[in-house]
Amino acid sequence: MMLSRIADAMFWIGRYVERADQTARILDVKLQSITEDTPEDFAEACRDVYQIFGVERTDDSDHSVQRVLDRLLTDRGNPSSVAGALFTARENARGVREVLSTEVWESLNTTTLGLPRGVRPSRMHGAFQFAKDRCAVVNGLVDSSMTRDEAWLFLRIGQLLERVDMLARNLQDHDLEDSSSGATVTLLRSCSAHEAYIRSYRGRVRSARAIEFLLLDSIFPRSAVHCLGEIEEALETLAKLHGNSFDRLGAAEPGRRIVGRALASLRFRSLDDIVENFDEEMEQLQMVTGAVTRALGTTYFHPAH
């Protein structure tokens, strides 16, 4: 049976690599939009970007594209920035090299060392592309060079939970009242879903359909339903490996119960019902990822003896 410290580290490697990837994707689209469209309220546009990532306290000096880049792209001390997330992932990987393939470790190490320490707005797209490409290489090597054992399962669960959390944050930031194709395309692009959406619907971009696609599409790998379904399967496999599929009363372990309820809530309700209190629904989805993380801690990472 895997040591709890290894399970914990693998889980957070998955989360932090995904966080770096998603942060780069969202910032690439959002900051490009700000610089090209020059919104009337520039400070408010920057505040909106910070809000996606949970940065609530900002002052006037923070409301520039350069400052957003400094805080959310290159700040190695901030685990929510692209560089900070990747450095934290590498630190976790350093302690569990025995369960990572050499290729994964070397790729993650190369990625963190190759990140720039400062990026100007004129060169930000290249920096975001580098981060996205390198995260794709790391994830590809995880899939192609690691056996599907417990270590891989914990990493995969971390990756998927972070993907759901970032999707919910991105959707929460979206103005539902703005049904223009421009705003909807921006949302889809920041979720890396524009091309997949076009292939699925083969028509004009519509706001309601985009929300439905991002939340409920069963075969798009970044949709909330798809990710939660994959998490549920991975948790079930882990439970069987540990012999704790059900407790003495016949109930599934806490993490699976939380994911199962969230999945059922999305699958078996109408889109109109979900959108009615959309901000609260997305807040709840973020709370689900936190609750599952705590449940994993109790069950696997820091179990009571």
Side-chain angles (χ1 to χ4, degrees):
M1 192 169 291
M2 178 173 291
L3 293 173
S4 57
R5 70 165 183 86
I6 295 177
D8 188 32
M10 293 300 290
F11 173 80
W12 286 106
I13 290 169
R15 284 205 72 156
Y16 280 119
V17 171
E18 185 67 19
R19 184 175 301 177
D21 182 40
Q22 293 298 312
T23 300
R25 291 172 185 276
I26 293 169
L27 288 176
D28 195 13
V29 174
K30 297 288 187 182
L31 294 185
Q32 183 183 27
S33 177
I34 290 174
T35 54
E36 289 182 355
D37 299 342
T38 344
E40 291 183 13
D41 193 340
F42 197 88
E44 182 64 28
C46 290
R47 268 195 297 270
D48 286 345
V49 173
Y50 283 126
Q51 194 168 359
I52 296 173
F53 303 100
V55 181
E56 296 179 352
R57 294 181 180 178
T58 59
D59 54 40
D60 291 342
S61 64
D62 288 316
H63 300 151
S64 69
V65 171
Q66 182 63 64
R67 185 62 179 139
V68 173
L69 292 172
D70 293 341
R71 293 188 67 172
L72 295 176
L73 174 59
T74 57
D75 183 359
R76 285 164 162 74
N78 175 13
S80 291
S81 76
V82 175
L86 285 169
F87 268 77
T88 307
R90 186 182 70 161
E91 288 308 301
N92 276 284
R94 190 193 300 276
V96 292
R97 289 185 61 181
E98 67 270 28
V99 296
L100 287 173
S101 70
T102 301
E103 289 175 300
V104 171
W105 161 251
E106 289 180 349
S107 179
L108 190 52
N109 196 43
T110 300
T111 300
T112 52
L113 293 175
L115 290 167
R117 292 188 173 272
V119 174
R120 295 295 180 193
S122 60
R123 295 182 177 274
M124 64 183 178
H125 178 69
F128 291 135
Q129 195 62 50
F130 172 82
K132 290 187 290 182
D133 288 349
R134 292 305 306 176
C135 286
V137 171
V138 172
N139 288 328
L141 288 171
V142 165
D143 278 347
S144 64
S145 67
M146 289 182 62
T147 188
R148 297 322 195 238
D149 58 6
E150 283 184 80
W152 181 87
L153 283 168
F154 281 115
L155 189 151
R156 178 66 172 156
I157 291 168
Q159 178 191 55
L160 291 165
L161 273 179
E162 188 67 27
R163 190 171 292 179
V164 171
D165 183 70
M166 294 294 271
L167 174 67
R169 291 173 182 273
N170 210 356
L171 284 169
Q172 191 174 32
D173 177 67
H174 179 64
D175 183 3
L176 284 181
E177 294 183 3
D178 186 355
S179 59
S180 66
S181 59
T184 306
V185 167
T186 296
L187 171 66
L188 288 167
R189 287 182 59 225
S190 65
C191 296
S192 301
H194 185 222
E195 291 184 356
Y197 171 91
I198 293 298
R199 290 193 185 98
S200 295
Y201 286 97
R202 300 183 183 279
R204 190 165 68 86
V205 172
R206 298 180 185 276
S207 180
R209 280 185 171 180
I211 301 295
E212 180 181 48
F213 183 72
L214 292 170
L215 284 177
L216 306 176
D217 192 90
S218 61
I219 59 174
F220 177 57
R222 294 181 180 275
S223 79
V225 159
H226 182 87
C227 290
L228 288 170
E230 291 278 307
I231 294 168
E232 186 177 49
E233 288 183 18
L235 287 173
E236 184 175 355
T237 302
L238 276 177
K240 289 177 180 176
L241 288 172
H242 284 257
N244 59 351
S245 295
F246 300 96
D247 64 20
R248 58 190 178 84
L249 298 177
E253 51 89 12
R256 288 167 62 204
R257 291 203 300 271
I258 296 165
V259 173
R261 284 196 300 267
L263 192 54
S265 178
L266 287 174
R267 278 178 172 165
F268 301 117
R269 290 160 64 205
S270 68
L271 182 64
D272 289 342
D273 188 22
I274 296 170
V275 170
E276 187 175 352
N277 296 297
F278 196 62
D279 190 70
E280 290 82 357
E281 291 283 349
M282 294 305 99
E283 190 70 36
Q284 184 63 37
L285 203 49
Q286 292 168 59
M287 292 172 66
V288 163
T289 64
V292 174
T293 300
R294 290 189 294 274
L296 286 169
T298 303
T299 306
Y300 299 109
F301 306 153
H302 316 290
H305 296 289

